Amino acid sequence: MLQELTHMDRITQLQDEIQNLLMIMANSINYLTTRANFTQVSPQVPITKQRNPDKFDPPDVFEANKKELAGDLALKARQIDYLIQSLPPPEPEEKQAGIRVDALHTTYNPQAERLQALESQMTEANEEYARAVRRAKSLHKQLWDMLDIMLADHDMLQYVSK
């Protein structure tokens, strides 16, 4: 059943086998509920219904089919267990998180490095923004000072009012 397969092929095969197991379980439940005759399980609970003889299997056939269904379930479970055992062991958490450990046992985390680079870019952008705001305020003050000088000059004031 298991040839030289890649890890993804094994996972896909495992998914297919689990789906087959679920189908066997559903069919087993369907068979057991539709082909069984009603039997009294307690003297306090009477049987209130009977099935037509063509709607249920005789007890010997029903028992043989139950054993076959149980065997099918057990076989499929063993196949799934074999597929699970053939999967590679899980990766260490450091590898899953993207952390690389070098020969000096120092850790390298590309996500942390990327975040640090983004943080330094953001700091630089904030500083540039602050410089631009200071420059705008300075230009605004110079403009108002110039307007005050121009309007304070009486000759300019008469010229403006004409």
Side-chain angles (χ1 to χ4, degrees), residues 23-149:
M23 185 63 72
I24 291 170
M25 293 172 109
N27 290 338
S28 297
I29 291 170
N30 182 48
Y31 173 79
L32 293 172
T33 57
T34 59
R35 300 303 293 176
N37 194 10
F38 297 114
T39 57
Q40 190 168 2
V41 293
S42 172
Q44 290 83 18
V45 181
I47 298 175
T48 58
K49 284 183 135 183
Q50 287 291 330
R51 289 191 183 193
N52 291 333
D54 61 331
K55 297 285 184 181
F56 65 90
D57 290 340
D60 57 332
V61 173
F62 187 73
E63 285 300 316
N65 286 340
K66 279 194 325 185
K67 287 181 182 176
E68 183 180 348
L69 291 170
D72 291 346
L73 282 170
L75 175 64
K76 190 55 68 179
R78 282 192 301 272
Q79 289 173 345
I80 288 172
D81 188 46
Y82 179 74
L83 283 171
I84 290 171
Q85 297 304 319
S86 72
L87 290 173
E91 296 176 336
E93 289 181 22
E94 293 85 13
K95 190 170 183 181
Q96 290 177 6
I99 299 171
R100 192 171 62 222
V101 179
D102 65 15
L104 299 175
H105 302 295
T106 57
T107 58
Y108 168 72
N109 187 339
Q111 293 169 342
E113 185 176 279
R114 175 78 175 128
L115 286 174
Q116 195 171 22
L118 288 172
E119 186 176 349
S120 67
Q121 288 175 357
M122 187 175 70
T123 302
E124 185 179 324
N126 283 341
E127 289 170 358
E128 186 177 328
Y129 173 75
R131 284 191 302 271
V133 168
R134 284 192 300 272
R135 174 84 173 130
K137 285 181 179 179
S138 172
L139 290 173
H140 184 262
K141 184 177 181 332
Q142 288 176 10
L143 178 66
W144 277 107
D145 289 346
M146 185 60 72
L147 284 173
D148 283 343
I149 291 170

